[in-house]
Amino acid sequence: MNKKQLIVKLSGSLNLSKADAERTFDTITNTILDALKGDDSVKIAGFGTYKVAKRKARVGRNPRTGEQIQIAASQKVKFLPAKALKEVFNR
Amino acid sequence: MNKKQLIVKLSGSLNLSKADAERTFDTITNTILDALKGDDSVKIAGFGTYKVAKRKARVGRNPRTGEQIQIAASQKVKFLPAKALKEVFNR
DNA sequence: AATTGGGTATGCAATATTTGCATGTAGAAA
DNA sequence: TTTCTACATGCAAATATTGCATACCCAATT
């Protein structure tokens, strides 16, 4: 499912126009992102936790040529599924 | 930030009561989960992709006793941040 | 509705990182 | 109050990561 299809579904279940459903959805994702930018984690009970993980610089390798490369430190958003969510998929 | 705080923020920016904001939010997460149950991935442009990852069975260990245990195969929800999202955090 | 630009999946090699096991505790959230 | 979540531990095996070309799919613009 892509974003457009998701919006259509939400538009139905939230009883909103597609435009409003999309606005609502974007507001939510932006709010989560803003919180993460503030170096925060966002915990959503029953769903999961978004957090920013810091990765150290390290030595990697170009698999095509085999040559070593320096990989810069970076940050990445991680999602840790809640317990309830794991159970849903393991039955 | 936890769910309650998120709901308060959303209530403000969406101009909804807290109860409605929460209902809206839950509807969205449930819709995403339902899509994932259908063995689908959910791609959200500019944010990321949720997908169900299958993990193979393997040998683990009880860290308390040190004894080996067989870990069953399982499924887990993965979130892959979109490119745009990575860039936000690496500047 | 069709085109186009852009993001994304794939495969590859070698290594770094993550995962997940059991379980009690602390802390937070419902 | 009662439920949920993070953390800590040792260790083996699964998986992510990196560059890059190609194919593909999607989003937005015309």
Side-chain angles (χ1 to χ4, degrees):
Chain A
M1 166 166 358
N2 59 37
K3 185 175 174 185
K4 184 178 283 184
Q5 297 168 313
L6 179 63
I7 295 299
V8 170
K9 276 216 175 205
L10 293 177
S11 160
S13 43
L14 293 174
N15 213 26
L16 292 174
S17 70
K18 279 191 221 165
D20 281 343
E22 180 156 20
R23 242 189 304 278
T24 300
F25 185 79
D26 289 344
T27 299
I28 291 179
T29 55
N30 286 331
T31 303
I32 292 174
L33 285 187
D34 282 346
L36 289 175
K37 280 184 211 163
D39 215 326
D40 237 332
S41 67
V42 179
K43 291 187 198 179
I44 298 159
F47 186 65
T49 303
Y50 296 92
K51 55 169 57 176
V52 178
K54 298 180 198 311
R55 304 180 169 285
K56 290 183 188 168
R58 63 194 167 80
V59 176
R61 188 173 292 270
N62 181 336
R64 191 162 288 271
T65 64
E67 93 185 283
Q68 291 202 340
I69 11 177
Q70 182 62 25
I71 300 171
S74 66
Q75 295 191 292
K76 156 171 197 182
V77 176
K78 257 181 66 174
F79 175 73
L80 300 98
K83 192 183 171 190
L85 202 145
K86 287 185 196 167
E87 284 163 5
V88 168
F89 290 95
N90 291 307
R91 261 181 306 153
Chain B
M1 168 168 353
N2 59 37
K3 185 174 176 186
K4 185 179 284 184
Q5 297 169 313
L6 179 62
I7 295 300
V8 170
K9 275 215 175 206
L10 293 177
S11 160
S13 44
L14 293 175
N15 214 24
L16 293 174
S17 70
K18 280 189 219 167
D20 281 344
E22 180 157 19
R23 240 189 306 276
T24 301
F25 186 78
D26 289 343
T27 299
I28 292 179
T29 55
N30 286 331
T31 303
I32 292 174
L33 286 187
D34 281 345
L36 289 175
K37 280 184 212 162
D39 213 325
D40 237 331
S41 66
V42 178
K43 293 186 195 178
I44 298 161
F47 187 65
T49 303
Y50 296 91
K51 55 168 60 177
V52 178
K54 297 180 199 310
R55 302 187 170 282
K56 293 181 186 167
R58 63 198 168 80
V59 175
R61 189 172 293 270
N62 182 336
R64 197 160 284 272
T65 63
E67 95 184 282
Q68 290 204 340
I69 5 178
Q70 183 62 24
I71 301 174
S74 66
Q75 295 191 293
K76 154 171 198 185
V77 176
K78 253 181 65 173
F79 175 74
L80 300 97
K83 191 183 177 190
L85 201 144
K86 287 184 197 169
E87 284 163 5
V88 168
F89 289 96
N90 292 308
R91 258 182 306 152

